[in-house]
């Protein structure tokens, strides 16, 4: 057998091994590291707002269930925030010209995935309920005066899609926070902006993540 034939046989063997390895890749539980960018904002009547880009990082566990389904719980340090602009109206003189809040959560999202295993890769869609506990807060001076009124617990739902390629996973999602960011009695602090947050739709946004599995 000449060298050309040997090279062809070796290439075919390597391809067969790779296909077999890939075919089995989604049949076992995998542990990994994940992180990415989180962009969140607020929708409050009569107040101009903009998104604020923060980050998230943590651990992930992908558990195949068969028939294309998988569950992926994660434990994240998740930083969300919101920014309000153009607050020149006299009602907002107490907070100055801008308001920016940054809140860090220990968050537990659980992805419920479905997607076909296409041997070389696996695209999937997911639904993701999540719950988090606030452990840090910051932002502008105006926001710091209201940090003590932050709700400790957050919860919500995400919808997204992703793709598994070998040991890497890329995903994007949009998330909705349910409930109020601030406590129901925040108006008692005498802050106009606090009253707005109580009734606002806060910390909704999207996130892009990259995970490395082992």
């Amino acid at each position: 057998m000449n060298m050309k034939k040997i090279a062809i046989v070796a290439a075919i063997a390597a391809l067969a091994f790779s296909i077999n390895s890939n075919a089995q890749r989604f049949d076992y539980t995998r542990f990994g590291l994940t992180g990415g960018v989180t962009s969140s904002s607020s929708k409050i009547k009569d107040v101009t707002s903009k998104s604020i880009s923060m980050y998230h990082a943590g651990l992930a566990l992908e558990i195949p269930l068969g028939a294309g389904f998988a569950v992926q719980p994660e434990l994240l340090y998740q930083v969300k925030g919101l920014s309000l602009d153009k607050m020149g109206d006299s009602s907002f003189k107490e907070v100055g010209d801008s308001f920016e809040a940054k809140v860090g959560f220990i968050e537990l999202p659980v992805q419920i995935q479905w997607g076909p295993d296409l041997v070389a890769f696996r695209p999937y869609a997911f639904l993701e309920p999540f719950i988090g506990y606030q452990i840090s807060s910051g932002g502008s001076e105006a926001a710091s005066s209201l940090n003590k009124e932050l709700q400790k617990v957050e919860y919500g739902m995400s919808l997204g899609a992703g793709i598994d390629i070998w040991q890497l996973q890329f995903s994007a999602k949009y998330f909705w926070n349910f409930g109020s960011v601030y406590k129901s009695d925040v108006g008692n602090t005498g802050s106009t902006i606090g009253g707005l947050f109580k009734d606002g739709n806060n910390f909704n946004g999207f996130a892009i993540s990259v995970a490395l599995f082992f």
Side-chain angles (χ1 to χ4, degrees), residues 16 45 58 72 74 79 82 89 98 105 111 120 128 130 143 156 186:
K45 184 178 179 180
Q72 184 171 307
E74 298 176 352
V79 183
L82 55 87
D89 185 272
S98 65
F105 297 94
Q111 292 185 12
E128 180 189 70
F130 65 85
V186 69

Side-chain angles (χ1 to χ4, degrees), residues 13-207:
L15 178 62
F17 176 79
S18 175
I19 292 175
N20 181 65
S21 298
N22 286 333
Q24 297 178 6
R25 183 174 65 246
F26 303 111
D27 292 338
Y28 59 88
T29 297
R30 304 191 300 170
F31 170 80
L33 304 175
T34 184
V37 176
T38 302
S39 178
S40 58
S41 186
S42 173
K43 291 183 179 180
I44 297 177
K45 184 178 179 180
D46 299 328
V47 178
T48 302
S49 64
K50 64 179 181 179
S51 62
I52 180 171
S53 294
M54 300 305 296
Y55 63 93
H56 59 273
L59 307 174
L61 189 67
E62 187 183 61
I63 307 171
L65 301 177
F69 287 96
V71 173
Q72 184 171 307
E74 298 176 352
L75 184 64
L76 305 177
Y77 177 64
Q78 173 81 267
V79 183
K80 297 178 180 178
L82 55 87
S83 180
L84 305 184
D85 274 353
K86 298 180 181 178
M87 302 171 69
D89 185 272
S90 59
S91 299
F92 302 114
K93 290 302 182 182
E94 62 183 275
V95 296
D97 296 327
S98 65
F99 182 100
E100 184 176 87
K102 300 176 182 179
V103 186
F105 297 94
I106 293 296
E107 193 169 275
L108 178 63
V110 180
Q111 292 185 12
I112 303 170
Q113 306 174 352
W114 183 84
D117 184 354
L118 302 179
V119 181
F121 59 94
R122 173 181 171 259
Y124 64 90
F126 64 86
L127 175 71
E128 180 189 70
F130 65 85
I131 188 170
Y133 187 82
Q134 182 246 324
I135 61 170
S136 66
S137 59
S140 65
E141 183 178 350
S144 64
S145 65
L146 284 175
N147 285 343
K148 63 182 179 180
E149 302 293 349
L150 283 166
Q151 295 278 16
K152 286 294 186 181
V153 177
E154 58 137 15
Y155 58 96
M157 184 72 67
S158 305
L159 288 176
I163 186 168
D164 281 319
I165 305 175
W166 188 51
Q167 290 177 290
L168 292 175
Q169 180 186 86
F170 304 91
S171 65
K173 64 185 179 185
Y174 191 89
F175 56 85
W176 295 267
N177 265 46
F178 301 151
S180 174
V181 171
Y182 286 90
K183 298 175 183 177
S184 59
D185 61 349
V186 69
N188 296 335
T189 64
S191 170
T192 301
I193 198 67
L196 288 173
F197 282 151
K198 182 184 68 174
D199 299 321
N201 188 5
N202 304 307
F203 289 2
N204 295 344
F206 67 90

